Amino acid sequence: MSSLLPGEPYSLTDLASVLLVLAGGVFGLWQYYRANREARARAAADEFEHFGEDEAVRTALRVIDWHSGTITVIDEVGTKHKRDYTPLDFHLALRPHSTHRSDVPGYVAAEDKFRIDRAQKGLPFEDYFSFTELYLRDVFDSFLGRLERIEMLIESGVIGKENFGEVFSYWLYLIGDEKQSGDGLDQFSNAKRQTLIDYIKFYQFKGVLRLFARYGKPL
């Protein structure tokens, strides 16, 4: 019988046993690392897919990327409606709920269709949101919530910083950088950018702030 007591010589059998144990341990660690890496890769791929297919995310990015246009608004019973939006709609939708409509920077009463309609009916309007504005708020809440989830997954090592940076590079630039004259990105003006940043800060989407700062673009 071989012995592993201190001071006694090891036999070849003892050495072989030790080597086998070490090899088994290394192989087990390699299997664990490989399985863990594959699981992270699948989780990252799933998250990217869900992010790209999320209708709220797609709508938010469309509104950011276009100066004005049309979005599909879904009401409480699931019926879809086409609604036009303008920069004023963006500012009105993303204002803090305690801010009056007329206190929004650049507000023009003659362009506020909701105000005109409500005033004609003798209804209050200053502290109210139109249906489209409420829908846009929900859209951006979902979008920003998704970004916070991305930040959490990067922080926990599930998603690589570089991987998401490549997927989201255009939007990191569009949202993260203040615009310069002649850069061809007038659709997301500095005024709209500031409105979005104020919304992020007011409603404390701190994960979004950390995410942009991670890429050297502090909001």
Side-chain angles (χ1 to χ4, degrees), residues 49-100:
E49 182 178 358
H50 294 156
F51 185 84
E53 292 179 349
D54 190 322
E55 187 59 34
V57 171
R58 295 168 67 176
T59 299
L61 294 180
R62 188 180 306 120
V63 171
I64 290 172
D65 198 31
W66 291 87
H67 178 268
S68 58
T70 303
I71 58 173
T72 300
V73 177
I74 305 174
D75 63 23
E76 61 275 7
V77 297
T79 304
K80 296 182 178 181
H81 307 270
K82 293 292 186 180
R83 291 286 186 272
D84 295 331
Y85 69 88
T86 66
L88 178 59
D89 294 320
F90 183 89
H91 295 301
L92 288 170
L94 298 189
R95 76 185 194 272
H97 58 270
S98 56
T99 300
H100 298 318

Side-chain angles (χ1 to χ4, degrees), residues 138-190:
D138 288 342
V139 159
F140 274 89
D141 284 346
S142 296
F143 168 57
L144 297 173
R146 275 282 187 185
L147 290 182
E148 289 206 309
R149 176 176 169 81
I150 293 288
E151 165 59 22
M152 179 187 70
L153 293 174
I154 293 176
E155 179 65 26
S156 61
V158 175
I159 291 177
K161 172 187 172 182
E162 295 77 11
N163 294 337
F164 183 71
E166 292 176 359
V167 172
F168 204 62
S169 60
Y170 174 72
W171 306 103
L172 286 171
Y173 171 58
L174 190 64
I175 299 171
D177 291 345
E178 191 171 353
K179 305 303 170 291
Q180 306 298 323
S181 59
D183 63 5
L185 294 174
D186 296 335
Q187 74 273 25
F188 192 62
S189 64
N190 287 327

